[in-house]
Amino acid sequence: MKKLSDLLRKFFGGIDEGLKEASVSLIEKELEETENVFALLTMGFLSGIPSPPTGLVLRLLPYMQREIYVMMLRSKNLDDVFAETAGTFDID
Amino acid sequence: MKTYFFLGKGGVGKTTIAASFGVGTSLDNGNVLVVSLDPAHNLGDAFNSTLSNKIKKISDNLSAVEVDIEKMIKEYLNELAYKMKNTYRYLTTFNLDRYFDILRHSPGIEEYAVLEAIKRFIKLKEFDTIVFDTPPTGITIRVFAMPKLSLLWTDRLIKMRKRILDRRKMVENVKGRFEAKIEGETVVLTSDEKEDDVMQELVRYRAEMEELRNFFSSDNTTVNVVTMPEELALFETKRISESLSEFKIKLRTIFLNKVIQCKKPPEGIKGKIKEQEEVLKKMREEFRGIQIKEIPLLEHSPRGIEELKELYNNYLI
């Protein structure tokens, strides 16, 4: 009996997790995209994009590790943009 | 506190005029500091004294300093590298040294350092007047432009940062604390504006730039141009005046230096005197409402407190 209830809990827990994931996955993608653009705008001189005043860039630099990480990751995955987009919108 | 900036291209006598103005003002307007922001310093030569990066007392009410911009940039970047080594502990692949080599020579860093230096001096409470001898015109104009430009950028970035934090909040509401993996390490990210370091730095930077923009266009800040009665110098002065008005900074006085005053000019310089007369005429027409002060070409360049005082009393007052 206990085994069954555990199984059910796990089953519904899984569904709950799945629903949560589905409900925010697009927002998460948008979030990551905005973070990437933010990093490109401010730290873009690293990839040849015009920069805001250097003073401002330097002031933000110590706090941008997450965004720079996202930017680096995005640049690394640039060759697979199509697959990523297809994945985001559930296109097989 | 009153602040005076002296702008102009190299060789027009900017440093001498700024030094002389400092000496004159110190006689009746309290404690005066003359600051040289020009990387090619010769303020010390004007005062007949050796100056350095530290404020030095020249006479009772007069002090002077030559700012070492290169050293300031180096110190600032070192401080930044130290700060980053602590905060960027997860980004091991991020090659700090390589980026700092780029930053040291990146365009705009010199202007930023000059602006930082100005910010530092205008905070000093012990002086009633600060006179700035500025770097070549191009850099100075960009320094004046920086607050307005920075405000445009920060406003856009603050808006965008708000969007990022809003999205984070949405995810947080559903999934709990927002965690991200960076190089295998889990980092908790905030969605609160007050806890977000980037947002806080943007807000702080914005406030500083707004203060500087207001300072540059306030009535207590006077921007003057030192120039010579030559056609090219006239064009440059016009450009300075136009750029300044773009940033709502008013040009107060034009010091026309090295005016040849010769009753019986020799044949060789008659053409030069004619050019001078034409430039003077054009200048008076172009710059109505702006004070123009003529300083003759002197027998020798004034050096030391006494000669600078004489220059002030005879031509600058």
Side-chain angles (χ1 to χ4, degrees), chain B residues 17-39:
Chain B
I17 305 279
S20 165
F21 190 84
V23 172
T25 317
S26 74
L27 299 175
D28 43 28
N29 278 325
N31 228 352
V32 177
L33 173 68
V34 185
V35 182
S36 167
L37 297 168
D38 194 341

Side-chain angles (χ1 to χ4, degrees), chain B residues 70-255:
Chain B
E70 277 290 311
K71 197 176 160 205
M72 262 188 81
I73 295 174
K74 227 169 148 181
E75 277 172 7
Y76 180 68
L77 289 180
N78 283 344
E79 200 182 298
L80 198 67
Y82 177 76
K83 215 169 171 184
M84 281 179 70
K85 267 177 194 145
N86 288 325
T87 50
Y88 276 39
R89 58 190 183 280
Y90 308 110
L91 271 181
T92 45
T93 47
F94 192 69
N95 188 342
L96 270 182
D97 294 335
R98 195 160 59 90
Y99 288 110
F100 275 91
D101 276 346
I102 302 173
L103 283 175
R104 193 153 297 173
H105 305 289
S106 95
I109 188 110
E110 204 177 336
E111 288 88 327
Y112 178 65
V114 172
L115 198 63
E116 279 296 308
I118 294 174
K119 217 164 75 187
R120 232 181 259 177
F121 287 114
I122 59 175
K123 281 208 177 105
L124 297 176
K125 294 272 175 272
E126 65 262 44
F127 297 103
D128 306 299
T129 304
I130 298 188
V131 178
F132 287 102
D133 175 23
T134 63
T137 320
I139 295 180
T140 312
I141 293 290
R142 286 202 292 275
V143 170
F144 284 143
M146 190 102 97
K148 193 185 170 194
L149 199 66
S150 300
L151 280 173
L152 278 174
W153 270 95
T154 27
D155 282 344
R156 296 304 295 266
L157 291 175
I158 285 175
K159 228 186 212 170
M160 206 167 164
R161 194 72 200 169
K162 276 200 169 119
R163 228 174 101 190
I164 288 179
L165 296 177
D166 276 352
R167 299 296 178 277
R168 265 191 203 161
K169 185 92 205 151
M170 286 181 200
V171 178
E172 217 175 60
N173 284 341
V174 180
K175 288 170 78 176
R177 271 196 329 178
F178 195 98
E179 288 175 351
K181 274 207 159 54
I182 298 177
E183 300 279 300
E185 299 257 2
T186 307
V187 190
V188 179
L189 300 172
T190 181
S191 63
D192 186 347
E193 279 184 24
K194 290 201 168 60
E195 282 171 23
D196 183 50
D197 290 333
V198 175
M199 182 61 112
Q200 286 309 305
E201 195 63 31
L202 279 170
V203 170
R204 266 197 298 274
Y205 189 76
R206 195 193 184 286
E208 283 172 26
M209 287 301 133
E210 197 168 24
E211 202 181 314
L212 274 170
R213 187 193 58 184
N214 295 342
F215 161 77
F216 283 143
S217 52
S218 91
D219 282 340
N220 287 329
T221 303
T222 303
V223 177
N224 308 304
V225 169
V226 182
T227 187
M228 292 196 298
E230 283 174 3
E231 196 127 63
L232 284 182
L234 169 71
F235 295 147
E236 207 215 8
T237 312
K238 251 164 88 177
R239 268 198 299 275
I240 295 177
S241 166
E242 280 162 14
S243 303
L244 289 176
S245 66
E246 218 176 286
F247 313 121
K248 298 205 166 54
I249 299 169
K250 234 181 117 193
L251 175 61
R252 302 284 172 95
T253 309
I254 296 173
F255 292 95

Side-chain angles (χ1 to χ4, degrees), chain A residues 30 35 46 54 59 61 67, chain B residues 88 107 161 168 201 208:
Chain A
E30 191 192 341
E35 283 172 323
L46 301 175
T54 312
R59 290 280 292 265
L61 189 57
E67 286 79 1
Chain B
Y88 276 39
R161 194 72 200 169
R168 265 191 203 161
E201 195 63 31
E208 283 172 26

Side-chain angles (χ1 to χ4, degrees), chain A residues 30-55:
Chain A
E30 191 192 341
L31 169 63
E32 205 168 272
E33 214 36 67
T34 328
E35 283 172 323
N36 176 37
V37 173
F38 193 81
L40 280 176
L41 269 179
T42 48
M43 307 289 151
F45 70 97
L46 301 175
S47 53
I49 292 172
S51 275
T54 312

